[in-house]
Amino acid sequence: MPFDVKTIAEINLGVQLLLTLILIGAVYLAKNKKFSSHCKVMRITVPVQILAILAIMLPSMDGYLVHGTPGPLFRAEMLAHHSIGLAIVVLWVYINLIFLKYLRPRFKIKTAMRLALALWALSLVMGFHMFVSIYA
């Protein structure tokens, strides 16, 4: 049975909400200084997010760029949302390279982690707003 675009978007929304709950758990682990467990959770969560980006979000964005968007502000929001998502992935790689001792931190690792969390929250809100703009 083929899925329509809305069903795929709803599945992605469910995945994003699940990842958010997992992220909240990872924040709890970090606040309680269980960094090893926090890192393990994040090393699963972010690759799942990357798969969602590649499998669902990138083709969706491409479709909107090729066939047009619901409005000029939507296009800007979509591009900002995707740029923030890419920044999160870059921060995740940076943080992991520091923990694996391949890089020396240029600034406090805690700052990078908090920035990644703030960007994730912003991206989630923007993504939810775009979903509602399209399908509500």
Side-chain angles (χ1 to χ4, degrees), residues 25-45 92 95-96 99-100 113:
V27 169
Y28 175 80
L29 291 169
K31 284 198 168 273
N32 288 300
K33 303 193 184 314
K34 297 181 179 180
F35 299 115
S36 177
S37 296
H38 169 81
C39 287
K40 288 176 186 170
V41 169
M42 293 310 297
R43 286 186 179 139
I44 294 169
T45 305
W92 178 75
I95 291 165
N96 274 282
F99 274 104
L100 294 171
M113 293 168 79

Side-chain angles (χ1 to χ4, degrees), residues 44-65:
I44 294 169
T45 305
V46 176
V48 170
Q49 178 67 20
I50 292 169
L51 288 173
I53 290 168
L54 293 174
I56 298 170
M57 295 182 217
L58 191 59
S60 178
M61 181 181 75
D62 185 52
Y64 281 112
L65 292 176

Side-chain angles (χ1 to χ4, degrees), residues 97-113:
L97 289 174
I98 289 170
F99 274 104
L100 294 171
K101 308 232 186 284
Y102 289 117
L103 286 179
R104 287 189 173 165
R106 300 242 184 243
F107 47 91
K108 288 185 178 182
I109 192 75
K110 199 174 195 179
T111 302
M113 293 168 79

Side-chain angles (χ1 to χ4, degrees), residues 5-18:
V5 174
K6 184 177 180 186
T7 302
I8 293 169
E10 288 169 343
I11 291 169
N12 184 49
L13 181 63
V15 168
Q16 296 309 312
L17 292 175
L18 178 62

Side-chain angles (χ1 to χ4, degrees), residues 70-90:
L73 290 178
F74 182 87
R75 180 185 181 102
E77 182 179 15
M78 179 181 61
L79 292 172
H81 169 74
H82 283 278
S83 297
I84 291 167
L86 291 174
I88 294 164
V89 171
V90 169

